[in-house]
Amino acid sequence: MLRVEGIRKSFDRFNALSGADLHVGSGKIVAVIGPNGAGKSTMFKIITGHLKPEGGRVLFGGEPISSLSPHEICRKGIGMAFQIVNIFSRMSVFENVQAAVLSRTRQAGNIFRAASKMAVGETMEILASVGLREKAGSIAGKLSYGDQKVLEIAIALSTSPRLLILDEPTAGMSSEEAAVCTGLIRRLTAEQGLTVLFCEHNIELVLSLSDEIMVLQGGKTIIQDCPEAVCKSPAVRDAYLGGAA
Ligand SMILES: Nc1ncnc2c1ncn2[C@@H]1O[C@H](COP(=O)(O)OP(=O)(O)OP(=O)(O)O)[C@@H](O)[C@H]1O
Ligand SMILES: [Mg+2]
């Protein structure tokens, strides 16, 4: 479904990515791990078109997409929830998702219908799919941190993606909230056939959730394989423990 080949990106003269490779098969859950500053968020922003690479290419369904705008890439079927929570905190949970659905379906400019009545069914369906149905009327900014991150996922789902990219979905969550979020990711792949690409510092969670893990270090891919093989890899031990293991 997705193939990233030899991506390079620098900021000023600092090489954030200098040869990142990744492949994500349809229906899989793939994790990217790597130390702080390894280039994980930069790679995700390149895949979604928010940053342009200086070399290499990104193929989605076999088609090169790196020259497309974020909006066009979104329409092709890639949705993303960012590392930093990015919701309208004064609007209700319902309105946050509804606004995203309306912007996708381009109904926002329809002056003949009250905005509040539009896309109600679809919005409620998305909220139900992430377990936020009961909190539809709550003010988004008043939700727990865990629920705000889940709302962010709901907003990403409102564009009907085939590939959902999550940048540290459980960062800052309590262990209970992280378990709920993990369950949600599993359900979305099992029940809705979504493909998920995520990065995360919680290694136990990564090992329990992923079909495959890609390890990024200093802007380069050092391995992509099943969790067992990645755990056994001497290169990964070197990257994480400086050869001490
Ligand atoms: N807009 C930017 N301008 C300058 N440098 C940047 C910019 N974005 C990222 N960088 C640098 O590029 C490197 C990779 O950053 P990136 O955010 O992709 O890392 P990361 O793997 O997501 O890290 P973390 O685990 O801390 O989220 C870092 O050294 C970062 O400081
Ligand atoms: Mg990051």
Side-chain angles (χ1 to χ4, degrees):
M1 177 177 273
L2 179 77
R3 192 165 271 282
V4 171
E5 295 174 349
I7 285 291
R8 286 187 289 110
K9 175 76 186 171
S10 57
F11 296 108
D12 299 323
R13 259 167 286 156
F14 173 77
N15 290 329
L17 291 174
S18 49
D21 300 308
L22 172 75
H23 49 94
V24 180
S26 182
K28 300 282 186 217
I29 302 180
V30 176
V32 177
I33 63 169
N36 291 111
K40 305 179 295 294
S41 296
T42 302
M43 188 181 72
F44 287 177
K45 286 177 193 160
I46 286 174
I47 295 169
T48 53
H50 293 89
L51 288 173
K52 293 292 159 213
E54 284 145 14
R57 51 185 204 156
V58 180
L59 303 166
F60 185 57
E63 183 196 345
I65 57 167
S66 352
S67 61
L68 303 181
S69 69
H71 181 70
E72 288 167 323
I73 292 174
C74 188
R75 286 191 160 258
K76 296 246 172 234
I78 303 183
M80 171 151 163
F82 288 89
Q83 189 164 357
I84 296 161
V85 172
N86 191 23
I87 57 176
F88 294 109
S89 56
R90 290 195 191 165
M91 281 164 52
S92 71
V93 167
F94 178 86
E95 288 164 340
N96 264 278
V97 175
Q98 184 195 35
V101 171
L102 292 179
S103 81
R104 184 202 83 217
T105 55
R106 294 196 176 153
Q107 291 181 58
N110 185 341
I111 55 167
F112 300 106
R113 290 181 66 195
S116 60
K117 304 251 169 65
M118 285 153 64
V120 172
E122 191 178 341
T123 302
M124 290 310 287
E125 234 173 74
I126 293 168
L127 288 175
S129 75
V130 301
L132 282 180
R133 195 175 216 286
E134 309 304 317
K135 293 176 183 157
S138 306
I139 296 300
K142 299 232 161 102
L143 292 178
S144 68
Y145 183 71
D147 278 345
Q148 290 190 15
K149 297 271 285 188
V150 170
L151 175 56
E152 179 98 355
I153 295 179
I155 292 169
L157 289 176
S158 68
T159 61
S160 299
R162 284 182 287 143
L163 171 64
L164 179 64
I165 301 184
L166 305 172
D167 194 340
E168 300 198 20
T170 73
M173 284 188 179
S174 67
S175 51
E176 291 80 18
E177 288 173 331
V180 170
C181 187
T182 312
L184 169 61
I185 294 171
R186 278 208 190 92
R187 248 193 4 258
L188 290 173
T189 50
E191 292 171 11
Q192 298 190 23
L194 262 182
T195 304
V196 175
L197 170 64
F198 74 109
C199 71
E200 185 61 69
H201 287 287
N202 179 338
I203 298 298
E204 269 176 44
L205 186 151
V206 166
L207 292 174
S208 74
L209 193 56
S210 319
D211 296 306
E212 286 195 10
I213 300 172
M214 185 271 250
V215 185
L216 196 60
Q217 194 207 12
K220 284 195 181 71
T221 298
I222 57 176
I223 188 173
Q224 176 172 348
D225 213 326
C226 62
E228 298 73 33
V230 168
C231 285
K232 283 187 194 144
S233 156
V236 174
R237 291 188 198 186
D238 280 351
Y240 271 88
L241 303 166

